Amino acid sequence: EKPIEPEPVKIELFNINEVPEITLEFELKDWNKLLQNYDLNPKNEKKVVSHFTFKVNGNTIALDSIGLRMKGNTSRRRPEGVTGEMHISTNTDWHHCHFGLDFSKYKDDQRFEGLDKLNLKWFKDDATYAREIYCYDLFKRFGCWTTPRASYCKLNIKIKGDANPAYFGVYAMIENIDEIYINSHKEQWGTGIGFLWKGGWSGNNNANFYSTNSMGVEDVSLDASKSKYYAYDLKTREEELETAKTELTQFIKDLDSKKGVDFKNWIAQKMDVDLFL
């Protein structure tokens, strides 16, 4: 007889009233690779392999071989030690930092509660541990459906061979803005997955909806001198970059040039103005 498959564990991932426990476990070589990559280029987006465990209300979900990378613009920092040091198992010099989890990096169909990615953030500038989570919850309550889901978790880092995991404390657990996020709101968008841009800065250019000469798909490698950065970084349908650039350039041109009733009618078709305000 065919064995009965156990029922999948059902959890509510972003529950503001619960604080699940996440453990990220690494082979020593993979953790050291993360440190080495940071030393080569702190902005690098290279991922290493991690084992992921999520515990809440007596339930445990474990995923093997997820991808993990460092995150943060001005807040990114080395998770352990100083430049050139590899992992030290005793009296370890741990540092809070942001992590990006990619559940399908090494297994194409692997998801966690329907998500492809999940962001874990420490509370760098918020001693209350509340502002960002509170605001996202507030926005949701008042109908701002574009708001990413967010709640708390407790984070542990475990390096195989160490006696105990390191407790990194309470972290923010935040939904990633990607194709899965867009698709989950397709009824509100009223369209399929369009061109998603991430605004930032590159040299003297920034995403100010005025300049249009820095658009592309970023390629951040371990060699900082060969990495490519853009003020507008395309995150979806990357193979259609030229079409996406034409569309965004026209939007910026119209945004900066239209006036009066012409602008009012145009912007009403391009944006949910009430939601934006």
Side-chain angles (χ1 to χ4, degrees):
E1 293 185 4
K2 186 178 179 179
I4 299 174
E5 293 289 336
E7 288 289 326
V9 175
K10 296 184 182 299
I11 63 171
E12 183 182 356
L13 181 55
F14 297 101
N15 186 339
I16 199 73
N17 297 310
E18 295 178 345
V19 184
E21 184 175 9
I22 292 176
T23 298
L24 301 171
E25 185 173 2
F26 301 82
E27 297 284 351
L28 177 61
K29 63 179 180 59
D30 293 318
W31 181 257
N32 281 339
K33 189 66 176 177
L34 188 71
L35 301 179
Q36 290 172 327
N37 289 347
Y38 182 91
D39 292 345
L40 290 170
N41 180 9
K43 295 182 179 180
N44 86 84
E45 297 183 352
K46 298 298 180 182
K47 296 169 184 175
V48 300
V49 182
S50 171
H51 180 81
F52 172 86
T53 304
F54 183 96
K55 296 181 179 180
V56 64
N57 293 333
N59 296 313
T60 300
I61 297 175
L63 298 177
D64 200 13
S65 299
I66 75 163
L68 177 140
R69 72 177 184 91
M70 310 299 297
K71 285 185 68 70
N73 292 320
T74 59
S75 59
R76 190 177 301 204
R77 63 178 183 172
R78 209 175 193 268
E80 179 192 346
V82 298
T83 301
E85 285 186 353
M86 294 296 95
H87 176 62
I88 300 173
S89 59
T90 56
N91 298 317
T92 311
D93 180 22
W94 299 108
H95 306 145
H96 283 121
C97 56
H98 307 311
F99 296 107
L101 310 184
D102 184 344
F103 301 110
S104 65
K105 171 64 177 176
Y106 303 106
K107 297 183 178 180
D108 290 342
D109 60 348
Q110 182 167 258
R111 299 288 186 273
F112 176 58
E113 294 301 302
L115 298 181
D116 183 35
K117 296 180 175 64
L118 182 66
N119 298 321
L120 303 179
K121 295 179 63 179
W122 70 290
F123 295 88
K124 175 180 177 290
D125 297 313
D126 181 12
T128 70
Y129 280 48
R131 294 173 187 165
E132 189 169 13
I133 304 295
Y134 173 83
C135 287
Y136 285 152
D137 183 59
L138 182 68
F139 295 161
K140 285 286 188 185
R141 291 168 187 258
F142 281 83
C144 294
W145 55 266
T146 52
T147 307
R149 294 175 292 170
S151 60
Y152 294 100
C153 70
K154 294 187 292 185
L155 179 63
N156 300 302
I157 300 293
K158 178 71 165 67
I159 313 301
K160 288 187 178 180
D162 287 4
N164 297 299
Y167 178 51
F168 266 49
V170 174
Y171 264 57
M173 185 171 57
I174 302 175
E175 182 179 17
N176 194 60
I177 306 300
D178 54 20
E179 292 189 3
I180 289 179
Y181 162 86
I182 294 172
N183 198 48
S184 69
H185 295 293
K186 58 186 176 184
E187 292 183 4
Q188 292 96 330
W189 295 122
T191 184
I193 296 173
F195 297 119
L196 173 66
W197 296 90
K198 179 180 179 180
W201 63 88
S202 176
N204 295 323
N205 300 301
N206 60 69
N208 54 14
F209 288 96
Y210 181 74
S211 174
T212 61
N213 58 5
S214 180
M215 300 178 183
V217 178
E218 287 192 347
D219 181 14
V220 186
S221 69
L222 297 178
D223 186 343
S225 66
K226 296 181 180 179
S227 295
K228 297 178 181 178
Y229 303 94
Y230 299 96
Y232 297 95
D233 175 24
L234 185 61
K235 292 297 186 182
T236 60
R237 296 166 59 183
E238 297 174 0
E239 70 282 356
E240 302 174 62
L241 174 61
E242 292 308 313
T243 301
K245 289 169 66 174
T246 299
E247 183 182 284
L248 180 57
T249 298
Q250 186 63 51
F251 176 83
I252 294 173
K253 179 181 177 181
D254 290 340
L255 181 70
D256 294 337
S257 63
K258 290 183 179 293
K259 306 294 181 184
V261 174
D262 187 30
F263 174 82
K264 183 176 180 180
N265 292 336
W266 172 81
I267 198 68
Q269 295 181 3
K270 295 294 182 180
M271 174 186 292
D272 187 333
V273 176
D274 289 339
L275 178 65
F276 176 75
L277 293 174

